[in-house]
Structure formats: structure tokens, C-alpha cells
Amino acid sequence: MTYAIDGWFAISPEDGVHLLGTSCTACGTICFPPRRGSCPDPRCAGTDMRELPLPRRGRVWSYTNACYPPPAPFVAATPYVPVTLAAVELDEVGIVVLGQVKGMTVDQLQVGMELELTSGPLTDGPLVWMWGRAS
């Protein structure tokens, strides 16, 4: 299996798709994508970040569609079909993560709607996380 971005998410038969974040052991600040080294909170001098799976569900914070194909070297489908994108505030941790929405258009989304993490292939084949209808 080829992931579009190695180390940012994981797929397991038992737990499904999970984004991988990090948490500062000094202050508890959670971030995505995962980071190493210093805490992203400027008030914290912590340098120990531990990896953790992030919640799989969240609420739509904002959404849009990309009506134009990405520039080279990215691969776009031919003919290009607009892609729906959503910024989702993750349950329990409150951080907002942007991702493609699988199988839904902007007409089917609304702010506050619950979505669940899933995965799907990009046009050129690698898997990436995507947002989908909550089951």
C-alpha cells in the first residue's frame, strides 16, 4: 500500500483510518501534522512530542470546492472533476484539519455537519485520508 503522505495517517483493519498527531508532554498541545522537536505553543519550552492517533470524527468548520486542476507536477484526472474540500474540527481535541471529501458535493455539506475519517486514492494512485459521511 502506498500512502500519499507517509507518517500522517494509518489504516488498520481493526480501527479503520486514523490521522496521526503529536502531543507535547509538557503542556498537552496537540498538533497535526505530527511534528518533532519543539512544541508549537510559543509559551511552552517543551521538546518532547509523543505520537497519538487523533479522533476519527469531527464537525464541518468550513468547506469549498476546487474548480481548477492542480498545477504540475501534481496529477489531475482528465477530464478534471471539481474536488470537494472540508475543514473539519476534530472531536475532543478541537484542531481543524483540511481534507478532501469523498462522495459528496458542496451542496450536500453544511457547517456543523458531522463527518468521519475515511480514505481513498488520489488520481495518481496513492492513498490519502478523506472525509466522508458519518455512519
Side-chain angles (χ1 to χ4, degrees):
M1 180 176 327
T2 303
Y3 293 138
I5 305 173
D6 193 35
W8 285 22
F9 71 107
I11 302 173
S12 76
E14 304 83 34
D15 300 325
V17 182
H18 281 278
L19 294 173
L20 301 174
T22 47
S23 173
C24 175
T25 60
C27 73
T29 296
I30 296 173
C31 59
F32 177 82
R35 65 184 285 152
R36 308 288 176 250
S38 63
C39 177
D41 185 336
R43 299 166 295 187
C44 178
T47 58
D48 186 22
M49 303 293 286
R50 68 177 176 89
E51 187 174 282
L52 73 155
L54 296 174
R56 299 190 60 216
R57 290 177 178 254
R59 307 243 171 230
V60 174
W61 186 76
S62 184
Y63 59 92
T64 190
N65 57 359
C67 292
Y68 56 89
F74 301 103
V75 178
T78 304
Y80 180 73
V81 177
V83 175
T84 305
L85 303 170
V88 175
E89 184 175 358
L90 300 181
D91 290 348
E92 302 155 30
V93 296
I95 62 173
V96 177
V97 177
L98 180 67
Q100 186 173 331
V101 178
K102 185 176 186 175
M104 297 175 74
T105 66
V106 293
D107 296 332
Q108 297 168 302
L109 292 173
Q110 60 185 346
V111 170
M113 178 181 194
E114 186 176 27
L115 294 180
E116 183 174 24
L117 203 65
T118 186
S119 65
L122 294 174
T123 300
D124 55 351
L127 280 178
V128 70
W129 76 88
M130 295 181 178
W131 297 109
R133 287 188 193 276
S135 54

